[in-house]
Amino acid sequence: MSSTVAERSRAGSMTPAEEPTAAGNPTTAEKPRPAAKVTIPVSGMTCASCITRVQRALEEQPGVETAAVNLMLKNATVEFDASQTNADALVEAIRATGYDAEAPVTGRTAFEEQEAQDQAQDHEFRELRGKALTTMGAAAVAMVASMPLMDGGHDAHTQVADPFMRWTMGWLSPVLRSVAPWLYDIPHAFLSYGLLIITAGIMSWAGRHFYVRAWAAFRHHAADMNTLVAVGTGAAFLYSVLATVWPGFFIARGLQPDVYYEAVLFIIALILMGNALEARAKRQTSAALRSLANLQPKTARVVRNGAEVDIGIEDVGADDIIIVRPGERVPVDGEVVSGASAVDESMLTGESLPVSKQVGDRVIGGTINRTGAFRYRATTLGHASVLAQIVKLMRDAQGSRAPIQRLADRISAVFVPIVLQVAILTFAVWFIAADAAPFVRAFAAAVAVLIIACPCAMGLAVPTAVMVATGRGAQLGVLIKGGEALQRAGDVSAVVLDKTGTVTEGRPTVTDVIAPAWRTDELLGLVASLEASSEHPLAEAIVRHAAERGIVVTAAESFESFTGRGAIAVVSGRAVAVGNAALMADFALDVGPLSKDADRLAGEAKTPVYVAVDGELAGVIAIADPVRATSYVAIARMRGMGLQVVMLTGDNERTAAAVARAAGIDRVVAGVLPEGKVAEIRRLQSEGHVVAMVGDGVNDAPALAQADVGIAIGTGTDIAMEASDVTLMRGDLAGVSSAIELSRRTMRTMKQNLFWAFIYNAVGIPIAAGVLYPTFGLLLSPILASAAMAFSSVSVVGNSLRLRRAAIGQESGQGSESPPASGMGSRAVPRLASAS
């Protein structure tokens, strides 16, 4: 079951197109629409307002079902009806908003996508850094050149009540006068025109994108961060140009012809520096994904025509025999055909210990061979390989949106227009109420409001946390499908565990055969012959046990299975029935003679299976499925986190209770079939619990779909990853609590980011407007405002990066409890024939 279907089922809202008619065929109106999905690279987005504009434009296009715009990845992922629109139309819709968009490149692998993204990020960082450093150098020159202008009576800068600017002016002017007195002999007009040329050059080169994008937004009746920067610096520049070219106009009206070229340059330099630091920090958020993509070796050593040859990984074909030596990476997925070794799979599963590999075992491309050498047959290549699927899953997850992002979207939609109004109001109040130099102070305060209010941090608060958290999860062997699943996992209050293959090893073995009137091997031969036609795990255990004893299996006839009960068949002319007490009752067979033995075996946490031959009870076979050695500690950790833990199983109550005791679970629901598991999850949800279901992703698909969070435990098979919101690459329960703990930490980080982004503007804008001036005589200069704005974005990304080092699994008492010394934490415990 795909996640989409799962989500629809969860919401109880199947679309009419998916519902069959009475005749069983969809009507024309109900035919499924041709769905398509495309990811479009978008450039020019800088803040939450940009995201809102692009997303709104896409959602207004006919046929668009969903659109998710990601500021971090600089792309838009769109699901649409292919009969109503196409990728080219969506690209044009984005371009119409004023941002650049490119037609998506088809046919790229996940690795190629990652490489392209890395190159783009590197280029962006180098470009921003170069522009920032150049502009900062120009700003320093402008500051020095402005000193003689200030001493000449142009006192706008010295009157600004910014403590930092006062301190700078206080020492810079005397020092400059002593080391470069000649500078003060240069005519002021020459200095002003020189500054004008420098500033105009920098603005048209390093700051050009601010003005181009602001103009594009204006043409579409919108405003964003670029609008604020462009209006703030543009106003300061135009005022300075007028003061330079036409100073008499100002003097005639009692105003000083002050220039603000150095302020314009410093603002642009600091914003570019912040953007550069932000770009570098953003690149670090995808470090885990980059590490995964780089696991793929470039070459493989294969056997061709009896000789060993090194070939490119793209030339490896299915069934090629590949040789792997100690210390080398496994090139592609495959199955070992000779040799043995220990393979480090930690980058894929989070398991720190190397895993033993022998003939017949599966090996995964990208893992590291530690000890021996082996040969294996290539099986899964290209897009279908485990590593490629994981990389794709992570890329999709990092491009998704968490529901909490809607809060930032709603605020950013109205934020910039409100800031523009606040800036106008600030100018008016200062111009009317200032006790000295009213125009200068009103102008500086309004520009400071515009600059400090840039909502970059709001746009980064949630996506940076999602990117880092999904990468951290992958390092722990926990694959999270996206922001929504990540957020929902943090609210989980009850965890429902499937027993077989989840709490237990999922590899049952025969432990006892009781056959009072039969030779053991003779009875086992009949049973194994019947079970050879079954795919049930218990049947596999019996057949495997018979093979280990050298018993020959014969063909069965008239095989018939009874779900949840057992099976019957004719073997060598004898009627054989194998199953639980219910099956025996169906055929009027009295299990009384062996019921005490069966009860005893069940009490020992083994599954008793009755055997009848020719209408007579013949024996009972006990089968055990060991509890995973890690289950007890993992479940204790869940309980330490305040989670209610419930185990569901199709086994009988005695066996289930024994397994639960061994695993440390208090609440067990036994004897339930798949539909019963769904009902139990619904019951927990009706009690107000947010439920996580943990299963193998195949047999438990209905329950995984019903749960608020479906967690598949396994080894990353296709079905497991598709069926769940979260996939545990390592085959134990430790990843469940890790996923929930990671989610909780991520949500905490998102809320911190949003708090700092909001509080920064809530506090910074009033200070820039001058609320502290009447009481403390303090103002915030536009230069300091630009530095603070740049710092806010970098601090939000830095806070998200802390998740990379989060010590997941060291809280909530993990490891503080041990399996009971005499318990069954590592002993064999059984499962029931009706099997979960």
Side-chain angles (χ1 to χ4, degrees):
M1 178 176 292
S2 72
S3 60
T4 302
V5 174
E7 290 164 2
R8 292 175 181 172
S9 175
R10 195 176 296 138
S13 60
M14 297 290 281
T15 63
E18 294 169 314
E19 296 174 350
T21 65
N25 296 318
T27 65
T28 302
E30 292 168 341
K31 285 182 179 177
R33 294 176 298 178
K37 182 177 180 180
V38 65
T39 298
I40 303 171
V42 183
S43 57
M45 298 189 297
T46 51
C47 66
S49 297
C50 307
I51 298 173
T52 303
R53 285 180 54 201
V54 174
Q55 182 148 332
R56 186 176 300 165
L58 289 170
E59 290 173 343
E60 289 174 351
Q61 296 302 303
V64 171
E65 297 178 355
T66 63
V69 182
N70 192 299
L71 179 62
M72 290 291 298
L73 299 175
K74 296 185 183 299
N75 62 29
T77 301
V78 189
E79 292 182 345
F80 58 95
D81 179 358
S83 65
Q84 299 189 49
T85 189
N86 54 49
D88 292 338
L90 297 173
V91 169
E92 288 303 317
I94 296 173
R95 288 175 177 167
T97 63
Y99 299 95
D100 295 329
E102 300 173 5
V105 178
T106 58
R108 273 182 176 172
T109 66
F111 306 105
E112 291 169 339
E113 288 283 352
Q114 184 60 40
E115 186 175 3
Q117 181 179 321
D118 289 347
Q119 292 176 352
Q121 288 181 328
D122 288 340
H123 174 75
E124 180 189 24
F125 169 68
R126 288 194 299 270
E127 184 181 30
L128 287 170
R129 182 182 59 183
K131 289 182 175 180
L133 292 176
T134 303
T135 306
M136 187 62 75
V141 172
M143 173 68 85
V144 170
S146 297
M147 285 294 136
L149 300 178
M150 298 178 193
D151 278 3
H154 298 183
D155 56 359
H157 304 74
T158 53
Q159 287 186 1
V160 172
D162 184 320
F164 175 77
M165 292 300 295
R166 279 206 305 268
W167 174 79
T168 303
M169 296 294 182
W171 64 265
L172 183 58
S173 183
V175 169
L176 189 62
R177 184 176 287 278
S178 63
V179 300
W182 52 268
L183 189 63
Y184 289 79
D185 297 330
I186 300 176
H188 287 182
F190 184 83
L191 287 174
S192 295
Y193 275 99
L195 289 173
L196 189 157
I197 294 171
I198 293 174
T199 306
I202 292 295
M203 290 176 73
S204 61
W205 171 64
R208 180 176 180 275
H209 59 282
F210 294 130
Y211 309 103
V212 171
R213 293 167 186 169
W215 175 247
F218 174 76
R219 287 193 293 112
H220 292 87
H221 311 291
D224 55 21
M225 169 202 152
N226 299 296
T227 304
L228 300 177
V229 175
V231 171
T233 57
F237 178 73
L238 291 177
Y239 180 89
S240 301
V241 170
L242 288 176
T244 300
V245 177
W246 200 1
F249 175 83
F250 293 85
I251 295 172
R253 290 162 176 75
L255 298 173
Q256 291 292 343
D258 299 310
V259 295
Y260 295 90
Y261 296 120
E262 86 287 354
V264 172
L265 293 174
F266 269 120
I267 289 171
I268 294 175
L270 289 170
I271 293 175
L272 288 173
M273 188 66 72
N275 293 159
L277 294 174
E278 182 184 304
R280 187 174 65 176
K282 283 193 293 188
R283 194 177 190 281
Q284 295 174 5
T285 61
S286 58
L289 183 56
R290 193 175 304 111
S291 298
L292 274 177
N294 291 335
L295 289 178
Q296 183 83 58
K298 302 297 182 187
T299 61
R301 184 175 301 110
V302 302
V303 178
R304 293 278 174 87
N305 300 322
E308 298 180 11
V309 294
D310 290 337
I311 63 173
I313 198 75
E314 64 277 3
D315 295 326
V316 175
D319 295 330
D320 268 345
I321 300 299
I322 302 174
I323 302 170
V324 182
R325 294 168 180 162
E328 294 181 341
R329 285 193 184 276
V330 177
V332 299
D333 298 356
E335 181 178 307
V336 178
V337 296
S338 65
S341 183
V343 177
D344 180 356
E345 299 180 339
S346 59
M347 278 300 294
L348 296 176
T349 66
E351 173 59 58
S352 58
L353 297 177
V355 180
S356 175
K357 298 293 181 182
Q358 298 177 344
V359 174
D361 286 343
R362 182 190 189 198
V363 290
I364 303 173
T367 55
I368 303 174
N369 178 32
R370 289 299 185 192
T371 54
F374 62 89
R375 297 187 176 202
Y376 75 99
R377 178 181 293 105
T379 56
T380 311
L381 304 170
H383 297 280
S385 70
V386 171
L387 183 60
Q389 290 185 63
I390 292 174
V391 171
K392 181 180 182 303
L393 186 68
M394 283 188 62
R395 287 188 61 81
D396 291 345
Q398 293 186 340
S400 67
R401 291 161 61 84
I404 197 174
Q405 177 70 46
R406 299 190 189 108
L407 174 63
D409 293 346
R410 284 197 296 269
I411 293 176
S412 63
V414 298
F415 185 76
V416 173
I418 290 177
V419 168
L420 291 172
Q421 296 175 34
V422 170
I424 294 172
L425 180 64
T426 299
F427 181 89
V429 170
W430 272 101
F431 190 74
I432 296 171
D435 52 358
F439 182 84
V440 172
R441 293 191 171 179
F443 186 75
V447 172
V449 168
L450 292 172
I451 297 300
I452 204 170
C454 292
C456 309
M458 271 191 255
L460 297 170
V462 174
T464 54
V466 171
M467 286 191 69
V468 179
T470 50
R472 180 71 177 119
Q475 291 174 338
L476 297 168
V478 178
L479 299 182
I480 302 171
K481 273 199 168 173
E484 185 173 351
L486 185 64
Q487 178 169 339
R488 202 163 52 230
D491 298 327
V492 166
S493 59
V495 178
V496 177
L497 305 174
D498 172 48
K499 180 178 74 68
T500 304
T502 302
V503 176
T504 65
E505 295 281 0
R507 184 177 170 81
T509 56
V510 174
T511 59
D512 302 86
V513 179
I514 299 174
W518 287 74
R519 288 188 300 108
T520 300
D521 286 358
E522 183 182 6
L523 185 65
L524 270 175
L526 292 175
V527 174
S529 297
L530 180 151
E531 299 288 20
S533 300
S534 172
E535 295 180 350
H536 196 283
L538 286 184
E540 294 177 7
I542 293 173
V543 172
R544 186 171 60 251
H545 183 71
E548 291 170 353
R549 294 172 67 107
I551 298 173
V552 177
V553 174
T554 59
E557 302 173 0
S558 304
F559 175 84
E560 186 175 0
S561 66
F562 300 87
T563 303
R565 287 182 170 81
I568 62 173
V570 175
V571 180
S572 301
R574 312 191 71 166
V576 181
V578 181
N580 57 19
L583 180 73
M584 299 297 115
D586 287 346
F587 290 92
L589 292 170
D590 180 15
V591 297
L594 293 174
S595 61
K596 288 185 178 180
D597 291 316
D599 290 344
R600 175 180 57 78
L601 293 169
E604 295 172 356
K606 300 174 181 177
T607 298
V609 179
Y610 292 102
V611 181
V613 180
D614 293 335
E616 299 290 337
L617 188 66
V620 61
I621 299 174
I623 303 169
D625 184 8
V627 170
R628 293 181 189 273
T630 55
S631 290
Y632 185 88
V633 173
I635 291 168
R637 184 181 167 202
M638 293 180 210
R639 296 172 61 184
M641 296 171 69
L643 301 171
Q644 180 175 344
V645 182
V646 181
M647 187 180 80
L648 299 183
T649 178
D651 272 348
N652 64 51
E653 291 187 4
R654 292 197 63 183
T655 303
V659 173
R661 282 196 304 273
I665 299 173
D666 294 330
R667 184 173 174 179
V668 178
V669 180
V672 291
L673 296 176
E675 56 269 26
K677 295 180 179 180
V678 172
E680 177 63 16
I681 290 174
R682 285 179 176 159
R683 191 186 65 76
L684 286 168
Q685 290 171 329
S686 68
E687 294 176 355
H689 285 291
V690 177
V691 181
M693 170 69 197
V694 188
D696 61 11
V698 180
N699 296 331
D700 299 307
L704 288 169
Q706 177 60 39
D708 298 285
V709 180
I711 302 177
I713 185 168
T715 55
T717 61
D718 295 351
I719 296 175
M721 287 194 285
E722 285 295 324
S724 60
D725 299 306
V726 178
T727 300
L728 308 182
M729 297 298 293
R730 191 166 53 190
D732 66 55
L733 289 174
V736 177
S737 50
S738 294
I740 295 172
E741 185 182 340
L742 177 63
S743 172
R744 290 177 176 178
R745 282 176 177 251
T746 304
M747 286 307 301
R748 193 157 62 233
T749 300
M750 289 181 186
K751 291 174 181 176
Q752 290 170 349
N753 288 348
L754 288 174
F755 171 80
W756 284 113
F758 294 151
I759 200 70
Y760 168 83
N761 284 299
V763 173
I765 291 174
I767 292 176
V771 296
L772 296 180
Y773 186 78
T775 305
F776 302 102
L778 295 177
L779 277 176
L780 200 63
S781 72
I783 294 175
L784 202 59
S786 62
M789 189 276 285
F791 175 76
S792 70
S793 299
V794 175
S795 64
V796 163
V797 179
N799 190 46
S800 298
L801 285 173
R802 294 193 305 124
L803 288 170
R804 294 170 59 190
R805 299 183 294 275
I808 304 295
Q810 297 182 5
E811 292 184 351
S812 308
Q814 182 189 21
S816 62
E817 297 183 58
S818 302
S822 59
M824 294 185 293
S826 58
R827 290 167 47 192
V829 289
R831 48 164 294 168
L832 187 63
S834 54
S836 47

